Amino acid sequence: MSLYAVLGYPVGHSLSPRIHEAFAALTGRAVRYERREVPPGQLAAALSALAADGGQGANITVPLKGEAFALAARLSARARRARAVNTLSREDGGWAGDNTDGAGLVCDLTVNCGWPLRDRRVFLAGAGGAAQGIAGPLLDAGIAALVVFNRTPGRAEALVAACADPRAVVASAGCADGPFDLVINATAAGLSGGLPALPAGLFAGAAAYDLMYGPKARAFLSYARAHGARQVADGLGMLVEQAAESFFVWHGVRPPTAPVLSRLRAEIDQV
Ligand code: ATR
C-alpha cells in the first residue's frame, strides 16, 4: 500500500484524505492517505519523517505552499509560475514540486459549472497566494481580461506585474472596467465569515465563484446573488478537481470526479 499525506496547519478539517481514498477505490488502487499537522517552519522535518515512513507524495495546504516551493528540488512550470507548491512527489531522494490549484479551478469552471472562459472578462478580488496561483491558468484558458482588485492596491499591482500579460490589469478607480462575465473571490475574508468590500454594479449579469466552499463562501455568494449574479458556485469542485490532478501526477490515472463531488456536496449543503 502506498502512503500519501496532506500537510498543513491546521489540517484537521481537510477533506483531502476522503477525496483521495475515494479516488483510490474508484480506480482500484491501494492508497493510504493521512493528515499531518505541520506548524510553519517545520515542513522540511515533516517531509523527512514522511519519506522515512515510505511516503511517496504529499499535498501541501495553507500556510505551507510557499515553504514547499522553497524546499522542492525540482519545480514544474506551473509551480514556478504560481510561486507555490500544493503537490510534492518523492523522486531520487528529493521532492518534485507541482501546483494543481489552477488546473483544478479551470476544470471546475469549464466542465462542472459549464462556464466557458475563452474571451470572457474576469474580475479577480484578492491578490494573495490564492489569487497568485490562479491568475496564470485563467490567462492560459483564453480569457479576454483579468481585472485585479485588492484591499491593499500595491499587492494587486504586484500580481498584475508578475502576470506580465497585457490582459491582466489593476481595477480602475470606481471600477469602470465592467461589465464582467465572471467575478472570482480569492480573498481570505470568508475565513471570518465576511466578504471583501467590492465596487457597486459588479455582479450584474455575471457568474460569481468563491475559491472557498461551504459556509465560508456563503457571505460572498449571497451578496453576489442579491446584487444580480446570474449563477454562483463555491470552490468545492475546485478542491475535488485539484485533488484529481494531484492523483494523476502521482498515479498516472485520471479518477472520475463527479461521484466524489456529489457525495461531498450533499454533506456540505447540510452544514
Ligand atoms: P491566501 O493564500 O488565502 O491568498 P494571503 O496571501 O494572506 O492568503 O492573501 C489574503 C488575501 O485576502 C489578500 O488579497 C487580502 O487582502 P490584503 O492584501 O489587502 O491583505 C485579502 N483579504 C483578507 N481579508 C480580507 C477582507 N476582510 N477584506 C478584503 N480582502 C481581504
Side-chain angles (χ1 to χ4, degrees):
M1 177 159 313
S2 49
L3 172 66
Y4 296 82
V6 57
L7 312 185
Y9 191 81
V11 82
H13 294 294
S14 171
L15 292 173
S16 293
R18 288 191 49 202
I19 295 171
H20 278 271
E21 280 162 17
F23 288 164
L26 286 163
T27 58
R29 252 139 235 277
V31 169
R32 196 166 108 228
Y33 191 108
E34 300 178 349
R35 288 187 191 90
R36 295 192 176 192
E37 188 150 276
V38 179
Q42 294 181 31
L43 183 60
L47 287 174
S48 300
L50 182 63
D53 293 341
Q56 290 167 32
N59 281 130
I60 306 298
T61 188
V62 177
L64 305 175
K65 293 182 188 183
E67 216 173 310
F69 177 77
L71 284 172
R74 194 171 63 81
L75 290 165
S76 67
R78 54 193 185 177
R80 211 172 292 123
R81 188 160 59 160
R83 284 172 283 156
V85 159
N86 81 330
T87 304
L88 287 168
S89 307
R90 186 87 185 140
E91 60 171 35
D92 301 334
W95 294 94
D98 198 351
N99 193 312
T100 66
D101 286 331
L105 172 67
V106 169
C107 181
D108 189 40
L109 289 171
T110 56
V111 179
N112 299 331
C113 298
W115 301 345
L117 288 170
R118 182 153 295 280
D119 298 330
R120 299 306 201 267
R121 295 181 54 78
V122 179
F123 182 95
L124 177 62
Q132 190 179 295
I134 63 170
L138 287 169
L139 290 164
D140 286 352
I143 60 172
L146 183 70
V147 177
V148 182
F149 175 86
N150 194 50
R151 179 177 63 182
T152 308
R155 285 182 95 185
E157 282 157 22
L159 175 54
V160 164
C163 288
D165 186 308
R167 293 171 296 162
V169 296
V170 176
S172 61
C175 202
D177 349 54
F180 296 100
D181 300 296
L182 173 63
V183 178
I184 298 178
N185 182 21
T187 76
L191 289 178
S192 44
L195 76 165
L198 292 167
L202 187 62
F203 293 100
Y209 190 95
D210 198 314
L211 298 192
M212 296 195 187
Y213 63 84
K216 295 188 181 82
R218 267 179 210 149
F220 173 76
L221 296 180
S222 311
Y223 181 87
R225 218 185 265 114
H227 289 79
R230 58 181 168 83
Q231 286 164 300
V232 302
D234 73 1
L236 186 66
M238 174 181 174
L239 179 75
V240 173
E241 296 298 344
Q242 64 77 31
E245 186 72 16
S246 294
F247 194 90
F248 177 72
V249 168
W250 292 330
H251 306 289
V253 173
R254 285 197 186 279
T257 53
V260 181
L261 182 52
S262 60
R263 204 176 314 146
L264 291 175
R265 170 65 63 207
E267 290 174 25
I268 277 171
D269 282 350
Q270 284 168 9
V271 177

